[in-house]
Structure formats: structure tokens, C-alpha cells
Amino acid sequence: MTLDKSPEKIADMFDKVAIRYDLLNDLMTGFSHRRTRKLAVALSKFHDGQAAIDLATGTGDFAFLLARKAPNGKIIGVDISRKMLAGARYRLSKLAFQNVDFQYGNIYDLPFDDDTFDVATIGYGIRNVPDPVTAMREVRRVTKKGGRFLIVEATPPLSKYARFIANFHFSRLVPFVAKFLSPGGDAYHYFAKSVEQFPPAPKFAKMIAKAGWSEVYYHPMYFGTVTVFLAIC
Ligand SMILES: C[S@@+](CC[C@H](N)C(=O)[O-])C[C@H]1O[C@@H](n2cnc3c(N)ncnc32)[C@H](O)[C@@H]1O
């Protein structure tokens, strides 16, 4: 089955799950996504005085972690789902960070000059873009030379047994839980398929390099079901 990853389709799907997204994320990962994000943000070495972009920011998890890490840094989160962005802005109003902003933005055509950011992050977002290499080239354009790019993504595990458990988790458990919790529950069938069709970590690392990034490193977590990728501009 070929997945429709057109921006309109993707934005509509995330608009539908936006209201329950954070809860679903916690339940479906058993809260483990929090630890993964913390590792990625530590690897970013983001510090005061720097600028970061969080791509496909959703409800802003990465943006807020970056904001906490560098209270005098500047963070912009971009996304194509207006409702996910509304969720991010609502959380921002509660958390009251002064150094974060959210705006509409498509990863293929970012509304920023070349060499703007010291750090770029994308969490669980690259899987949703139909042409990741082109998207990652655009991210490189807006990143400064020597800047760091952190990608966190659900990846197909390399071991047969871990793959069996992950398949069960994504194709049975996740849609089952999502159906009860989210009005856009069907979207989670899409998520299961998109994880299944995502390249294994070593292959995706090559795609990052193909997009022009260097020193690509990856760190599999949870039996390889999630991978943190780091690359330098
Ligand atoms: C699974 S959510 C991840 C949200 C957040 N980064 C996180 O870590 O929880 C994927 C997000 O990617 C966004 N997205 C998908 N395609 C995009 C694109 N072409 N440009 C920008 N954002 C996109 C979706 O709207 C959605 O909010």
C-alpha cells in the first residue's frame, strides 16, 4: 500500500489527532519518548546565544526542551498542521517561555535565510515526508556550517524478534488504543504503515549523508525501535 503523504493529507490527519496527541504519545510509547527526546537534546549541545529550529514541531515537545536547555537561546518551531501548532501555542502560554515561537512552515520550503540556525531538530516527523532527502537538503540550507542536526524517528528494528514485537505494537495495539482515545483514530493505521515502510537506521543514515550532511552518527534505542540520528552541516 502506497501512503498518501501529500502536505494536505498529512496536515488534515494531524489536525484530527492534535487534541489527544500528547496523551497518545505517552500511552503508546509507555512514556519512553521523553527519555529519547532528552538524549537528542543533550546531543544537540544547544546553548545560550544560539538559534534552533524544530521541524515538524507538532505540539512543541522538542522546542520546549531546547528552550529549557538554553534560556537565552532562540527557538522556532514549524509545522504544517495548524491544530498541532495551536496545541503548541497553548502549551507555550502555560509554560511562559520567552524564547520560543511557533509558525506555519513546510519542511520543503522553509521561510528562513540560508545559514540561520545552529541546531535543527525533527522528532517523529521525517517519516511523514514523501521525499526525506530533498527535505533534509532544505534543512541543511537554513543551518549554519558546523551546525548540528538531530533526528529522532521510529525505525524498523534489525532483529527478527524485535521486529515481530514492534509489528504487533504498531499494527494491533497502537490503532486499538488510538481508536478509543482519538476521533482521528484511523490515522494510527497510517502511523503503523509509515513505520513499517521507513528504511532501517543504517540505510536512513546514508540518506542523511546524501542530503549533504556529514559525520552522520546514529544511536538505536529500545531494541532499535527508535533511533536518534546526529549529523553535522
Ligand atoms: C508525529 S508528529 C511529531 C510532532 C513532534 N515533533 C513530536 O516530537 O512529538 C509529526 C508532525 O510532522 C508534521 N509534518 C508532516 N509533514 C510536514 C512537513 N512537510 N512540514 C512540516 N511539518 C510536517 C505534522 O503536521 C505533525 O505535526
Side-chain angles (χ1 to χ4, degrees), residues 57 68 79 155 166 182:
T57 192
R68 197 161 286 135
D79 203 287
T155 41
S182 167

Side-chain angles (χ1 to χ4, degrees), residues 62-167:
F62 267 108
F64 296 132
L65 285 175
L66 289 164
R68 197 161 286 135
K69 184 161 168 40
N72 293 311
K74 177 78 199 142
I75 302 103
I76 294 186
V78 298
D79 203 287
I80 51 165
S81 160
R82 306 232 179 238
K83 293 211 171 136
M84 293 291 268
L85 284 171
R89 290 193 186 107
Y90 175 75
R91 291 177 74 194
L92 179 60
S93 71
K94 299 280 164 203
L95 294 166
F97 284 114
Q98 302 298 316
N99 56 343
V100 186
D101 205 2
F102 292 105
Q103 71 178 74
Y104 179 90
N106 189 334
I107 195 169
Y108 287 109
D109 184 18
L110 294 166
F112 304 104
D113 292 337
D114 295 2
D115 310 321
T116 301
F117 299 101
D118 303 280
V119 165
T121 54
I122 178 164
Y124 309 98
I126 199 73
R127 186 178 84 231
N128 300 299
V129 304
D131 181 355
V133 172
T134 304
M136 292 189 290
R137 266 194 203 117
E138 174 66 352
V139 179
R140 189 167 170 269
R141 180 187 69 75
V142 300
T143 308
K144 292 177 189 169
K145 184 90 191 125
R148 296 166 88 82
F149 184 24
L150 269 306
I151 302 172
V152 173
E153 195 47 271
T155 41
L158 296 177
S159 126
K160 204 164 77 181
Y161 301 105
R163 215 160 42 229
F164 176 78
I165 293 166
N167 278 349

